[in-house]
């Protein structure tokens, strides 16, 4: 049984930084991509950043230049370094892993940025 365990969320002032981590446990094969989504109250879930097994990255325009996604393939772990945080980054952040057969989601971690 695959589980994604997220950590690193919290409360931070505008301009601050946070680092999210997501570790996958259990037997997981053929990972195509790992990424982070977020959902703010009253809004749809949106892609924040993703990284493929080959290391290619994709970012939402709103976070380009501020957020960096990385992964440790040996540990099945994905990270999101978030710098220069803004109040509009406040949301629940979800880890996502896409394999050839399945999609896996984390339980979500709250990120709150105060102005």
């Amino acid at each position: 049984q695959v589980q994604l365990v997220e950590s690193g969320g919290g409360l931070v002032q505008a301009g601050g930084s946070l680092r999210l981590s997501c570790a996958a446990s259990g037997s997981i094969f053929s990972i195509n991509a790992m990424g982070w989504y977020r959902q703010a109250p009253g809004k749809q879930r949106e892609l924040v950043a993703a990284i493929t097994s080959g290391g290619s990255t994709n970012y939402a325009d709103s976070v380009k230049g501020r957020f960096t996604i990385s992964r440790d393939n040996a540990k099945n772990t994905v990270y999101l370094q978030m710098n220069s945080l803004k109040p509009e980054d406040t949301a629940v952040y979800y880890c996502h892993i896409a394999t050839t057969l399945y999609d896996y989601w984390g339980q979500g971690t709250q990120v709150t940025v105060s102005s």
Side-chain angles (χ1 to χ4, degrees):
Q1 185 175 358
V2 175
Q3 286 188 323
L4 305 187
V5 179
E6 299 154 341
S7 60
L11 173 64
V12 65
Q13 288 188 333
S17 299
L18 286 173
R19 188 187 192 219
L20 304 182
S21 299
C22 172
S25 63
S27 299
I28 185 167
F29 304 101
S30 301
I31 295 177
N32 293 328
M34 306 175 80
W36 293 91
Y37 287 71
R38 67 186 181 187
Q39 187 167 18
K43 295 188 177 181
Q44 289 188 331
R45 189 174 297 189
E46 62 174 357
L47 175 67
V48 176
I51 183 167
T52 68
S53 57
S56 298
T57 58
N58 182 38
Y59 295 93
D61 287 342
S62 59
V63 307
K64 284 180 181 177
R66 300 188 297 121
F67 291 10
T68 302
I69 190 170
S70 60
R71 62 189 284 176
D72 184 333
N73 290 332
K75 297 181 179 179
N76 283 340
T77 299
V78 62
Y79 306 96
L80 186 67
Q81 178 66 44
M82 304 185 293
N83 299 328
S84 302
L85 282 161
K86 304 175 181 180
E88 51 264 43
D89 294 318
T90 295
V92 178
Y93 284 70
Y94 296 90
C95 174
H96 174 254
I97 293 180
T99 71
T100 301
L101 294 177
Y102 303 107
D103 284 335
Y104 300 98
W105 291 92
Q107 79 284 358
T109 185
Q110 177 70 46
V111 171
T112 302
V113 184
S114 63
S115 57

